[in-house]
Amino acid sequence: MRTIRALAVTVPLLLVATACGDDGGGENAGEDVEVPAEGEWNGDLTVYVPAAAGGGFDIMVRGMQDQMAQSLGSSVVVTNVTGASGAIAAADMLNEPADGTSMMVVSRSISSVPYSGSPEIDPVEDFAPLGVTVQDVSALSVRSDAPYQSVEEFIEYAEQNPGEIQIGHSGVGSVWHAAGLLLAEAAGVEFSFVPYDGGSASNAALLAGEIDAVLNSPSETRPITDGGDAVTLGVLGDERAATLPDVPTLQEEGIDVTYSVWRGYVVSAETPEPVQEELAARLEQAATSEEYVSAMEEVGFETTWIPADEFGELIAEEDELVRELFEGEDFMTTMPERLSE
């Protein structure tokens, strides 16, 4: 069984007795795992969420918890594990038996993990993709009493005050950090970036006056914008977000930048392929159910279904983008073994 250590946090080795006993090896590779029958599963499913409760990850996972449990015929346990941009949650998931009873929700930001101090976690080789269930756009939001109440005013202020605007995001190397860098580059301005453990934490910091703006998904900023404490100035989509039809895209405001974010589920790559395929099929059933789609629309998420093979291509493409986009950043201190050999 494989043991992962992330950022000096040691995850205990789980010793599992082998069913065959011939070679004395562990079961983490899942060689003896059978594909569960319809309506049954190998045990309770633990879904690792690499962010605090209340953020986008947490909302989308808990929103599908009941439908996934029905699809599996087993309980679904949501476990929030924060820190290290998802490395700690990934380590926890990878150290569980690879039998389809542990999976993790990830976004584009997971691709920065092997480059930011945790080369042991390599999404390209360590994860088996199941499917993408949600796609977001990045929404730029500020307090309602901010001195800029439009994209034009926001950029003008940034031009006149280089580096003064502090933008909160959900972690160094995260998707919203990437969105901020792309926005700064496209607009020709300089921002300062402040990481937080998820969208709810950065929202709280915005309202407390610790930062000046946030880049989160519309669903994450909706609680503070619906309450009138904040306003969304623009979205980084190819077109206006369905949940924010009155908010312009940055392209409409003359800034040529778009950035959409996929959010999907993975298991350990050591999970037997038949189990991966069966879990993906049940995930698709839950993610495309009318109940889940309606629930996500109500809280501002745009649902989708991207199957495992296409999801794998997205992970590989993101790995290349991370190296290109974050090259030279202070946090880029390591690289996965496949690139260092």
Side-chain angles (χ1 to χ4, degrees):
M1 179 183 299
R2 185 171 181 215
T3 299
I4 303 293
R5 292 178 175 83
L7 300 183
V9 177
T10 303
V11 182
L13 181 64
L14 302 177
L15 298 179
V16 182
T18 178
C20 298
D22 294 336
D23 58 9
E27 275 188 16
N28 203 55
E31 295 176 357
D32 301 314
V33 178
E34 295 183 358
V35 177
E38 184 176 352
E40 300 178 357
W41 202 246
N42 293 320
D44 292 346
L45 175 67
T46 298
V47 183
Y48 286 93
V49 177
F57 273 144
D58 192 66
I59 293 170
M60 65 174 282
V61 174
R62 294 184 189 276
M64 192 171 64
Q65 192 172 4
D66 290 344
Q67 284 75 34
M68 193 65 186
Q70 292 174 17
S71 179
L72 294 175
S74 183
S75 296
V76 174
V77 180
V78 179
T79 301
N80 298 83
V81 182
T82 62
S85 298
I88 298 175
D92 285 355
M93 190 268 289
L94 291 172
N95 276 302
E96 294 289 346
D99 58 2
T101 59
S102 297
M103 74 179 185
M104 180 177 173
V105 60
V106 299
S107 70
R108 297 176 70 159
S109 60
I110 196 65
S111 297
S112 68
V113 164
Y115 301 98
S116 57
S118 299
E120 307 90 348
I121 308 293
D122 185 356
V124 173
E125 295 192 346
D126 295 340
F127 294 159
L130 299 177
V132 172
T133 62
V134 165
Q135 289 197 104
D136 291 328
V137 294
S138 181
L140 173 65
S141 303
V142 301
R143 288 188 305 278
S144 296
D145 62 356
Y148 23 74
Q149 292 295 304
S150 68
V151 172
E152 181 180 5
E153 292 175 354
F154 183 79
I155 297 302
E156 285 181 355
Y157 189 96
E159 290 173 340
Q160 296 168 9
N161 303 275
E164 183 177 317
I165 291 180
Q166 293 186 310
I167 299 180
H169 57 74
S170 55
V172 172
S174 69
V175 288
W176 308 135
H177 186 191
L181 291 174
L182 290 170
L183 172 58
E185 180 181 354
V189 297
E190 180 182 348
F191 300 122
S192 295
F193 296 100
V194 183
Y196 291 91
D197 283 333
S200 59
S202 61
N203 285 347
L206 176 66
L207 298 187
E210 296 176 11
I211 52 178
D212 305 295
V214 291
L215 278 166
N216 287 323
S217 68
S219 60
E220 289 173 312
T221 53
R222 187 170 181 174
I224 59 175
T225 55
D226 281 357
D229 296 315
V231 59
T232 298
L233 304 183
V235 296
L236 281 70
D238 293 316
E239 55 187 30
R240 295 191 179 195
T243 55
L244 296 172
D246 297 326
V247 176
T249 67
L250 271 291
Q251 286 188 322
E252 289 180 67
E253 298 297 307
I255 303 173
D256 188 16
V257 59
T258 60
Y259 191 78
S260 60
V261 177
W262 45 257
R263 299 177 189 250
Y265 295 85
V266 298
V267 294
S268 167
E270 295 179 349
T271 306
E273 287 190 16
V275 176
Q276 293 178 32
E277 293 170 359
E278 183 64 21
L279 184 55
R282 301 196 193 196
L283 175 66
E284 181 181 7
Q285 181 181 12
T288 57
S289 67
E290 183 178 345
E291 295 86 352
Y292 178 68
V293 172
S294 297
M296 289 297 96
E297 288 178 350
E298 288 181 5
V299 294
F301 277 102
E302 296 188 25
T303 58
T304 187
W305 176 253
I306 298 176
D309 55 348
E310 294 179 37
F311 186 14
E313 294 174 2
L314 292 175
I315 292 174
E317 291 170 1
E318 190 66 16
D319 178 76
E320 296 181 6
L321 179 62
V322 163
R323 281 180 273 148
E324 176 183 332
L325 182 60
F326 292 116
E327 183 180 8
E329 294 288 329
D330 292 342
F331 72 87
M332 295 283 280
T333 58
T334 56
M335 65 176 62
E337 292 182 4
R338 62 185 157 81
L339 297 178
S340 59
E341 296 175 350

